[in-house]
């Protein structure tokens, strides 16, 4: 199964960040709950806390989509979800995570969720072509880049950096380009080059995560000040990335996937639908972009 034909709209620039709206042909009819409104319970493992795992239980009446890069705050330490997961109503599952708070280990067993996403700088590490035993260390290194920018976190907490960046940087949410009717995704350009394309199975799913993704990227903008050129990414670069993603062949059954399409690392998840498996979410990252380098 191929990705539907994608259409790229005109870009809007915020400093070094350029956002291009993405539409997909065909109707998006994925019946999933996601984001802050989804009723998910997240806890440390019953057998004892582990850095790389959390237990997630769907208390919702619908299947719930938990995204790669979504923050799971609290517990023994803040974590970030390692890959997309769909849980059926009532389902409980141990999911892969990475720590984004290196200096704390202890506290409550329950995690909070507000649908927030990690900054692009951290998500880039989760979307490299290969994950290995060094991935966690590289995630910590990327979180450390924010130390001292707006706050110095005693525990190396990404959550504290996000809170401080939004509070002190005068983020004017009215400057964010508003989602357009039917929009199902976005191409993110950074420093004049296309970085990633994120696509959802419906306009409604996209709306649940658009604002949190761009708010997190605000921290990347501040980190890049004086280092990345504050220039617009060409529309052709966004279209070229979309063409690569459209070369992807989705798996015949509804589950997660990860493939390389040339220099683009694509991962995501499909879900059951009336006419067969349908895309729920994917992200495609150009591994040649400077942000992908550690």
């Amino acid at each position: 199964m191929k990705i539907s034909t994608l259409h790229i709209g005109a870009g809007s620039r915020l400093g070094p960040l350029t956002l291009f709206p993405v539409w997909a042909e065909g109707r998006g009819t994925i019946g999933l709950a996601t984001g802050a409104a989804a009723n998910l319970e997240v806890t440390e493992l019953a057998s004892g806390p582990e850095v790389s795992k959390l237990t997630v239980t769907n208390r919702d009446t619908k299947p719930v989509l938990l995204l790669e890069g979504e923050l799971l705050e609290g517990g023994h330490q803040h974590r970030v979800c390692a890959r997309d997961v769909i849980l059926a109503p009532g389902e409980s599952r141990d999911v892969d995570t990475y720590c984004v708070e290196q200096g704390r280990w202890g506290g409550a067993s329950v995690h909070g969720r507000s649908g927030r996403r990690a900054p692009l700088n951290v998500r880039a590490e989760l979307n490299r072509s290969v994950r290995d035993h060094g991935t966690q260390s590289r995630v910590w290194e990327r979180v450390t880049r924010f130390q001292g920018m707006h706050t110095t976190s005693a525990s190396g907490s990404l959550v504290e950096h996000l809170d401080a960046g939004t509070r002190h940087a005068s983020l004017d949410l009215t400057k964010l380009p508003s989602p357009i009717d039917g929009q199902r995704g976005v191409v993110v350009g950074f420093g004049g080059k296309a970085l990633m394309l994120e696509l959802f199975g419906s306009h409604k799913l996209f709306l649940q995560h658009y604002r949190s993704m761009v708010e997190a990227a605000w921290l990347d903008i501040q980190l890049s000040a004086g280092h990345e050129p504050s220039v617009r990414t060409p529309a052709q670069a966004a279209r070229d990335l979309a063409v690569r993603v459209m070369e992807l062949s989705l798996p015949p059954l509804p589950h997660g996937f990860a493939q390389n399409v040339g220099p683009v690392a694509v991962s995501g998840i499909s879900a059951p639908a009336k006419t067969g498996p349908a895309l729920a979410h994917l992200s495609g990252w150009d591994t040649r972009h400077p942000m992908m380098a550690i």
Side-chain angles (χ1 to χ4, degrees):
M1 183 174 66
K2 289 288 189 180
I3 301 293
S4 300
T5 300
L6 302 179
H7 301 278
I8 310 299
S12 300
R13 187 169 68 86
L14 293 170
L17 190 74
T18 308
L19 302 175
F20 298 88
V22 178
W23 291 266
E25 292 188 0
R27 296 184 61 187
T29 56
I30 303 296
L32 301 172
T34 192
N39 187 4
L40 280 181
E41 178 183 279
V42 183
T43 65
E44 302 289 350
L45 303 187
S47 58
E50 293 183 20
V51 171
S52 60
K53 296 280 186 183
L54 289 172
T55 299
V56 180
T57 303
N58 181 3
R59 304 297 187 190
D60 213 296
T61 57
K62 293 181 178 180
V64 169
L65 170 64
L66 181 65
L67 293 185
E68 158 271 313
E70 194 166 336
L71 288 170
L72 306 170
E73 305 173 29
H76 276 234
Q77 57 188 185
H78 303 314
R79 317 289 220 291
V80 65
C81 188
R83 52 182 53 84
D84 293 344
V85 178
I86 294 177
L87 294 99
E91 181 182 1
S92 184
R93 191 189 311 175
D94 295 344
V95 303
D96 294 334
T97 61
Y98 289 102
C99 166
V100 288
E101 188 183 16
Q102 185 177 8
R104 179 173 71 92
W105 185 248
S109 63
V110 177
H111 286 252
R113 283 185 61 257
S114 58
R116 292 208 290 180
R117 307 288 295 281
L120 296 170
N121 180 71
V122 174
R123 289 184 61 202
E125 186 59 46
L126 306 182
N127 287 277
R128 289 158 66 98
S129 299
V130 177
R131 298 182 188 182
D132 55 29
H133 65 278
T135 299
Q136 177 62 79
S137 295
R138 292 192 296 271
V139 168
W140 282 330
E141 194 281 332
R142 287 175 179 268
V143 173
T144 301
R145 295 175 186 179
F146 299 112
Q147 280 282 52
M149 192 169 68
H150 293 294
T151 188
T152 298
S153 170
S155 62
S157 166
L158 177 61
V159 171
E160 288 185 31
H161 294 310
L162 282 169
D163 290 343
T166 302
R167 184 170 60 247
H168 295 301
S170 301
L171 172 58
D172 185 357
L173 296 178
T174 63
K175 294 181 179 179
L176 300 180
S178 299
I180 302 170
D181 187 41
Q183 182 179 350
R184 285 169 56 181
V186 63
V187 171
V188 176
F190 206 89
K193 301 178 177 67
L195 170 62
M196 61 89 75
L197 182 152
E198 188 155 24
L199 181 68
F200 291 84
S202 71
H203 179 59
K204 183 177 180 181
L205 291 176
F206 168 74
L207 290 178
Q208 294 294 319
H209 291 284
Y210 172 67
R211 177 166 168 167
S212 63
M213 184 195 75
V214 179
E215 284 184 353
W218 189 253
L219 205 61
D220 297 295
I221 293 173
Q222 298 162 66
L223 181 66
S224 71
H227 304 288
E228 288 285 347
S230 185
V231 297
R232 181 182 298 273
T233 298
Q236 187 60 52
R239 290 192 288 269
D240 290 345
L241 180 55
V243 168
R244 286 287 192 179
V245 170
M246 285 189 287
E247 294 174 6
L248 176 74
S249 293
L250 292 176
L253 298 175
H255 54 62
F257 56 86
Q259 299 179 34
N260 291 332
V261 185
V264 179
V266 185
S267 63
I269 196 165
S270 55
K274 292 181 179 179
T275 58
L279 178 71
H281 173 257
L282 71 73
S283 58
W285 295 68
D286 190 331
T287 59
R288 300 167 299 182
H289 194 283
M291 191 180 287
M292 300 296 288
I294 188 68

